[in-house]
Amino acid sequence: MPTISSDKIFPITTFISDLPTNHIPFPSSSENGRVSGRLVVVGDVHGMRKSLEALLDKVSFDKNKGDHLILVGDLVNKGPESAGVIDLAMKLGASAVRGNHENAVLNSAAGINTTKDSPLHPESLSGSSAVAENPEADLPGDNARDAEIPDKSGPATSTGSSTSQTTASVLAKHQLDWLAALPLILRVKLPHVPISSLGDTLIVVHAGLVPGISLEEQDPHAIMHMRSLVCASGDDDKFMPAEVPGEESWVIEWDRWQDRLASKTTVIFGHDAKRRLQRGKYAIGLDSGCLYGHQLSAVVIGVSNKEIEHHVIQVECVDVPITPTVSVEQGDNTADG
């Protein structure tokens, strides 16, 4: 059985958010001939701002032409420019979901801002109907205790010391407020077109979803931490989320479930750097290990000729990477959260 995590869920103001329709691509023949922009969904950045800028440059991201940036969580921690990544996201009007590292930073910030009237004090948000009834979910979690922030002299080495408090201490109030307002689930209701490579609905979460369970009933902790599934006791058709990588990603069962449904939902997520880029039939995993010197990945989604199409774009890391004590390829759980 998995060990009980000491992670706490920072109060949730929005559990599920729908992407505004003005950011959703549409067929060029509709909407009075207006040019439709693209959705650019980017994997775990972890403070690697230069790499994010390189990726946006490679895809020719242009907010003025209607392009919209979506981040799958873990914008912050470990890398050199957490504040810079938030600033860039805010400047571009990006959407994002909360990852386990945002959650850890917010908890650390709440500890620093101990006054009860602070907007980041957990009790100040305790009236939210979206706050989990059990803030200590029974899943093993990544407590964001992974690596020191690198300096310009060379790559940092994973030490097991927490960076969350350090990150929280350097973020401004408006940056922390922006993180605190992020939803756990971002839903994109795709336009009805003859052909869609993504099905009818697109969901963005940080870590994953359990098949067979509605969005409203998904466990908040699992959304930010899961990597695999285990069968529920006595029922091979019901699954429980697990933080450990396991033999198979949760994507395998998600694809099987979607194949049985008339209306398809594709999930784009991050968190699982051990497996790097994952391309399921109805799920795409974008944590390709940029933090560790590998690639930063994005899914670019657009509409042409009444067809929704997508493709994956990657750039090599251009920031100073983190060097984990055990390689991501060997499955170090502390190195890929």
Side-chain angles (χ1 to χ4, degrees):
M1 293 294 294
T3 57
I4 296 175
S5 170
S6 61
D7 286 9
K8 291 185 178 181
I9 299 174
F10 186 83
I12 301 163
T13 56
T14 304
F15 187 63
I16 302 173
S17 178
D18 288 303
L19 187 70
T21 55
N22 63 301
H23 293 316
I24 298 176
F26 50 81
S28 57
S29 60
S30 67
E31 300 292 333
N32 299 318
R34 289 193 293 120
V35 176
S36 174
R38 304 166 298 168
L39 295 179
V40 179
V41 188
V42 177
D44 303 40
V45 178
H46 278 298
M48 311 296 258
R49 176 169 177 158
K50 293 178 181 176
S51 298
L52 176 58
E53 291 173 334
L55 180 56
L56 294 177
D57 183 63
K58 184 171 182 177
V59 303
S60 301
F61 183 89
D62 191 338
K63 179 184 176 182
N64 294 327
K65 291 183 178 179
D67 291 343
H68 184 66
L69 175 63
I70 300 175
L71 299 152
V72 304
D74 281 8
L75 292 70
V76 301
N77 256 8
K78 306 184 187 183
E81 293 190 67
S82 291
V85 170
I86 297 173
D87 284 344
L88 181 58
M90 295 179 70
K91 177 182 177 182
L92 295 175
S95 299
V97 294
R98 184 192 299 188
N100 55 303
H101 281 272
E102 282 79 32
N103 192 68
V105 167
L106 289 167
N107 280 328
S108 292
I112 296 171
N113 296 276
T114 54
T115 58
K116 192 170 182 178
D117 60 350
S118 167
L120 283 170
H121 193 280
E123 288 187 24
S124 68
L125 296 176
S126 60
S128 170
S129 61
V131 176
E133 292 182 5
N134 176 16
E136 297 186 2
D138 58 346
L139 296 174
D142 179 348
N143 291 316
R145 300 182 307 148
D146 297 290
E148 294 179 344
I149 297 175
D151 60 26
K152 296 180 180 179
S153 63
T157 301
S158 183
T159 63
S161 62
S162 174
T163 65
S164 299
Q165 189 167 357
T166 300
T167 300
S169 67
V170 300
L171 295 182
K173 179 184 178 299
H174 73 278
Q175 295 169 329
L176 290 165
D177 288 345
W178 188 83
L179 292 181
L182 296 179
L184 266 67
I185 298 172
L186 180 65
R187 178 169 51 198
V188 183
K189 298 177 181 178
L190 298 171
H192 296 292
V193 294
I195 301 173
S196 173
S197 63
L198 296 172
D200 301 302
T201 305
L202 176 67
I203 299 294
V204 179
V205 294
H206 178 58
L209 296 172
V210 177
I213 300 177
S214 69
L215 291 182
E216 292 77 11
E217 295 176 332
Q218 296 283 333
D219 179 77
H221 190 281
I223 290 171
M224 294 186 288
H225 291 83
M226 65 181 287
R227 292 189 178 96
S228 60
L229 298 166
V230 293
C231 291
S233 178
D235 192 339
D236 291 341
D237 293 325
K238 291 186 178 181
F239 299 97
M240 297 176 58
E243 165 68 1
V244 294
E247 294 184 5
E248 291 183 342
S249 168
W250 63 270
V251 168
I252 304 300
E253 291 299 335
W254 181 267
D255 282 350
R256 291 171 181 162
W257 182 47
Q258 290 300 311
D259 274 332
R260 301 195 295 268
L261 302 178
S263 179
K264 313 299 184 185
T265 297
T266 296
V267 182
I268 300 180
F269 65 101
H271 189 62
D272 196 350
K274 176 190 173 184
R275 291 188 172 95
R276 307 277 286 279
L277 181 66
Q278 297 183 61
R279 296 181 191 238
K281 191 175 180 181
Y282 303 105
I284 305 171
L286 290 179
D287 189 352
S288 45
C290 178
L291 180 69
Y292 306 109
H294 301 298
Q295 297 83 24
L296 184 63
S297 300
V299 175
V300 180
I301 303 164
V303 178
S304 62
N305 299 321
K306 298 185 178 181
E307 176 182 355
I308 297 174
E309 55 188 9
H310 74 277
H311 55 281
V312 175
I313 299 292
Q314 295 182 303
V315 294
E316 296 296 326
C317 175
V318 294
D319 294 271
V320 178
I322 293 293
T323 303
T325 53
V326 179
S327 73
V328 173
E329 287 78 6
Q330 291 174 339
D332 175 26
N333 285 339
T334 65
D336 60 358

